[in-house]
Amino acid sequence: MFNKPPLRLFYTCLKLDKKIPINLKGKSKSSQDWLIRQLKDPYVENAKIKNYRSRSAFKLLEIDEKHKILCPGQCVVDCGAAPGGWTQVAVDKANAALTDKHAKQGFVVGIDLLQIFPIEGAVLLSGCDFRNKLSHEKLHKVLEGRRVDVVLSDMAPNATGIKEMDHDAIVSLAYEFIRFTLKVNKINGSMLLKLWDGGRLSKLEADLKQFYSSVKRVKPPASRSDSSEIFILAQDFKGVRATD
């Protein structure tokens, strides 16, 4: 008769088995690499445990932990919000769902062209492009005269794999986001946006310094080290002069 394997070994095998894709046949090399990386990524598993809709929630959490950009009572707008991970963090940090009865209640709006499923404590504008006039009107209506303390963007265009082309595309999107932010940001407010590293980054930072006292590059631990992804945090909005 064979000896039974130790119980601890049995559970170890189960854990290892969960990390191995069951069927990768027919998938491209890049798809296989992505699936394996997802299965090995502790942030992916932690997002499920904490009920975040995306692992990117941890990027905002880590940036906020270091730079303290979100707090109860704030008005926050999240552009490109789907599937809603950053919006969930903003709702919690701004106390928009009034989970803390002793703190100020904030107000959070999520905007995206895609469908965003309901998030308690957030006003969601699905099917809205932050760049067009109709979306601006919808946003101003829900803001009801509020100026925005923090404007967020985790947006990125579809990547082609050609570094220079992808960099130009995300910088162009970033400038549209910046123009939008300058219209709604409160004096002394902040903005946070995602970019891919490249040659136009320094010029964009210089342009932002016309309007914000502090502009810095940040890369949280949750942003993979092999990714060109980087975030620009601009703080202490000075306003827009008539000549700007």
Side-chain angles (χ1 to χ4, degrees):
M1 183 178 289
F2 294 108
N3 292 328
K4 291 183 179 179
L7 192 58
R8 183 168 55 186
L9 177 60
F10 175 72
Y11 282 118
T12 300
C13 291
L14 282 179
K15 286 182 179 180
L16 286 172
D17 183 59
K18 286 180 180 179
K19 292 184 178 293
I20 300 172
I22 295 171
N23 182 16
L24 294 179
K25 186 177 180 180
K27 296 187 182 297
S28 67
K29 176 67 165 56
S30 60
S31 294
Q32 291 182 32
D33 290 343
W34 183 85
L35 283 167
I36 292 169
R37 185 172 63 176
Q38 287 291 98
L39 288 165
K40 290 181 177 179
D41 190 335
Y43 286 103
V44 174
E45 187 63 28
N46 213 11
K48 294 176 184 176
I49 293 168
K50 295 184 182 296
N51 202 32
Y52 287 126
R53 296 184 180 181
S54 61
R55 74 179 297 283
S56 66
F58 292 102
K59 299 173 189 177
L60 181 55
L61 284 166
E62 289 169 351
I63 292 170
D64 183 63
E65 183 178 358
K66 184 173 182 178
H67 299 283
K68 310 299 181 190
I69 60 174
L70 297 167
C71 66
Q74 287 179 325
C75 178
V76 183
V77 172
D78 181 15
C79 292
W86 275 32
T87 304
Q88 288 176 297
V89 173
V91 165
D92 180 52
K93 294 290 183 178
N95 195 34
L98 202 60
T99 51
D100 183 351
K101 304 294 184 183
H102 303 290
K104 278 186 174 182
Q105 184 175 16
F107 188 78
V108 174
V109 183
I111 304 173
D112 204 296
L113 276 167
L114 301 175
Q115 177 70 34
I116 316 168
F117 292 102
I119 297 172
E120 185 180 358
V123 176
L124 303 176
L125 301 178
S126 297
C128 285
D129 186 338
F130 76 95
R131 296 169 292 187
N132 68 44
K133 185 178 178 181
L134 182 59
S135 295
H136 292 182
E137 291 172 355
K138 288 182 178 179
L139 176 62
H140 284 300
K141 185 175 181 179
V142 300
L143 286 176
E144 296 181 332
R146 299 177 182 89
R147 298 293 291 182
V148 183
D149 294 282
V150 184
V151 191
L152 304 170
S153 169
D154 191 32
M155 293 183 293
N158 292 329
T160 65
I162 302 171
K163 185 176 179 180
E164 293 80 6
M165 187 181 296
D166 291 338
H167 176 65
D168 284 345
I170 199 169
V171 169
S172 296
L173 181 63
Y175 272 109
E176 294 194 71
F177 171 73
I178 291 165
R179 284 191 285 271
F180 166 79
T181 300
L182 296 179
K183 296 175 183 177
V184 300
N185 221 175
K186 180 188 288 187
I187 297 297
N188 300 320
S190 304
M191 62 171 285
L192 177 69
L193 74 153
K194 177 166 74 178
L195 286 163
W196 293 320
D197 202 4
R200 294 177 62 189
L201 203 53
S202 295
K203 173 66 165 58
L204 185 142
E205 288 174 306
D207 289 339
L208 276 175
K209 286 176 182 176
Q210 298 178 56
F211 307 104
Y212 294 86
S213 297
S214 172
V215 177
K216 63 188 76 170
R217 303 181 191 188
V218 295
K219 189 173 178 72
S223 183
R224 294 183 173 114
S225 59
D226 62 348
S227 170
S228 65
E229 175 184 77
I230 196 162
F231 294 87
I232 300 294
L233 174 60
Q235 295 174 288
D236 190 16
F237 178 52
K238 297 181 287 187
V240 180
R241 298 187 301 273
T243 54
D244 288 335

